[in-house]
């Protein structure tokens, strides 16, 4: 759903209810969707919820630092 952040958001939010890799991926792509929607505070919240041990952890931290 590239460049369709508004349509992707509800799907990604539902992915947060799933355990493991689905939840991790949903958090990461939800943050990116929020950024496409220019909702930086929501993107920051999503990025802060990503664990450093996650597959997206390093990228999330780097993106978070650039947003603050």
């Amino acid at each position: 759903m590239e460049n369709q952040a508004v349509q992707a958001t509800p799907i990604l939010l539902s992915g947060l209810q799933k355990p493991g890799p689905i939840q991790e991926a949903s958090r990461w792509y939800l943050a990116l969707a929020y950024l496409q929607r220019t909702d930086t505070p929501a993107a920051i919240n999503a990025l802060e919820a990503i664990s450093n041990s996650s597959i997206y952890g390093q990228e999330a931290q780097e993106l978070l630092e650039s947003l603050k």
Side-chain angles (χ1 to χ4, degrees):
M1 299 194 85
E2 191 172 323
N3 296 319
Q4 296 180 356
V6 172
Q7 295 88 342
T9 300
I11 296 165
L12 294 168
L13 286 170
S14 70
L16 297 179
Q17 306 306 312
K18 310 286 186 204
I22 294 172
Q23 186 179 73
E24 290 181 18
S26 293
R27 285 193 200 288
W28 173 248
Y29 288 106
L30 184 61
L32 297 180
Y34 284 140
L35 287 175
Q36 277 190 353
R37 296 172 62 178
T38 64
D39 189 348
T40 304
I44 289 171
N45 286 338
L47 291 168
E48 288 177 336
I50 297 174
S51 167
N52 287 336
S53 63
S54 166
I55 189 169
Y56 303 99
Q58 182 176 348
E59 290 175 289
Q61 289 306 310
E62 290 172 6
L63 184 54
L64 189 57
E65 288 176 19
S66 73
L67 294 173
K68 289 187 173 183

